[in-house]
Structures are given as C-alpha cells and as structure tokens.
Amino acid sequence: MGGYPEVRTLAQHAQNQLAEFTGLHMTPLEWLHISTLVAGSTDDIAPNQMQDMLISASRSLTDVPPIGVTLGPVLYHPEAIMLGVEPSDALDPALEAARYATKGVIGREGNTTSGPGTWVPHMTLCYSTAQQSASSLINALGHELPICEITVTKLTLVVQWGPERKWNWQPIGTASLAGTTGVAS
C-alpha cells in the first residue's frame, strides 16, 4: 500500500490527526500494507521455499483480474487503528493464493492476523502502545476518512527481521494478478 501515493496521502492525513497522542506507534508510510497471511518464522522457511511460494501464488493469480477496493471505514481495536477494506471479501483470491502456496510448499496454511478462521482485511495506520481513552481517539479521527479507491495488482512476500515495530522488512518478490506487469523475483 505504501506504493500508492493516494494511500500514503490518506494515511499521512490520519496520522497527523492522531499526532497529539503519545501512546501510538505510527506505521511508516513506506510499510503501509494489508496483511494477508503470516506463513511462519523465517527460521522455518528456506529462501528456495520462499521462491517456490511466489511461483505457486503467481500461478494461482494468473486468471484473477486486478481487484478494486475502497479503504475505509476507520476501525478501532485495543491494539490498533486501521482502515477497513471494502468490499471485505474482494481480496479473498489473494488470501487463497497465499494459503495454497504456503500449504503446498511448507505444509501448513499459515495464519491471518485477524485470528483463527477469520480474516478482516485492513490497513493499519498505527499500533497502540499505551492504554488511553478510545473516545478521545475517535473524536480526533472520526469513523470515516476521505474515500480512497485503489486497484490491487500484486501480492508481495515480505520477510520481517526482528520485532514487528522495528520495521526491518525485506520484500522477497511479488505475485502479480492477471494482466499486470511484474514477475515473481
């Protein structure tokens, strides 16, 4: 998501609205994302397996056209403030491609960040680092932001080195949707 200028602008607007709150860790604009699936620990997945996962996901997405979605509404959770993805099931083909690739290559389906059996596609604006009044946050940001429509054209495999909030991420490659440029690298 960080590669979409309109998404970065929207996220920056929201983060500016929340800047007065010290108990929030803002997602860096370049790492804005919609988490699809956590495949597992990098200790358990070899580099050649990562490439095989990309190849498998690319094959699964060959006939899936680019997916139009809208970011919003604002979602509040005790651990984060996020933007929902609508329609909520639009990105299911990307999730299924990730699951299929993960299961086929490493023998397990992986996990969504929404919990077992569910997936709520979202883009996290910031993470909570302290207890604070939800009503104050809601008053500052509201429930809706300006409409942001985007077209998702790829699924990216990213390795996270170390703790989540250090943002030491390494994109490994992408699986492109039908008719879009880019090949698994």
Side-chain angles (χ1 to χ4, degrees):
M1 298 294 98
Y4 293 84
E6 63 272 39
V7 173
R8 289 173 73 111
T9 298
L10 180 66
Q12 184 67 65
H13 167 76
Q15 291 176 348
N16 287 344
Q17 297 293 106
L18 297 167
E20 68 183 81
F21 298 94
T22 59
L24 298 175
H25 176 86
M26 304 297 178
T27 302
L29 298 179
E30 66 269 20
W31 294 124
L32 292 168
H33 62 282
I34 298 171
S35 293
T36 306
L37 192 74
V38 177
S41 170
T42 54
D43 294 335
D44 298 334
I45 304 171
N48 66 312
Q49 289 177 304
M50 292 179 200
Q51 290 303 314
D52 290 345
M53 290 166 65
L54 283 168
I55 291 167
S56 177
S58 293
R59 288 182 183 141
S60 294
L61 295 171
T62 298
D63 296 324
V64 176
I67 303 168
V69 296
T70 301
L71 296 177
V74 179
L75 305 175
Y76 294 93
H77 185 276
E79 295 179 8
I81 299 174
M82 307 154 290
L83 293 179
V85 175
E86 295 182 344
S88 62
D89 62 349
L91 296 176
D92 284 355
L95 174 63
E96 291 311 313
R99 279 187 173 146
Y100 179 79
T102 303
K103 177 79 171 174
V105 174
I106 62 172
R108 58 183 180 273
E109 289 185 3
N111 299 301
T112 65
T113 57
S114 304
T118 62
W119 182 47
V120 178
H122 63 274
M123 182 183 79
T124 303
L125 296 168
C126 57
Y127 294 91
S128 179
T129 60
Q131 287 190 340
Q132 53 194 316
S133 166
S135 62
S136 297
L137 295 167
I138 294 168
N139 288 336
L141 189 59
H143 292 283
E144 297 288 335
L145 293 175
I147 291 176
C148 185
E149 295 178 352
I150 60 167
T151 301
V152 176
T153 61
K154 64 184 175 181
L155 176 66
T156 303
L157 176 60
V158 176
V159 170
Q160 174 184 304
W161 301 104
E164 180 178 32
R165 293 190 187 129
K166 293 288 186 182
W167 299 103
N168 186 8
W169 287 11
Q170 177 186 1
I172 301 300
T174 61
S176 296
L177 281 65
T180 60
T181 58
V183 179
S185 57

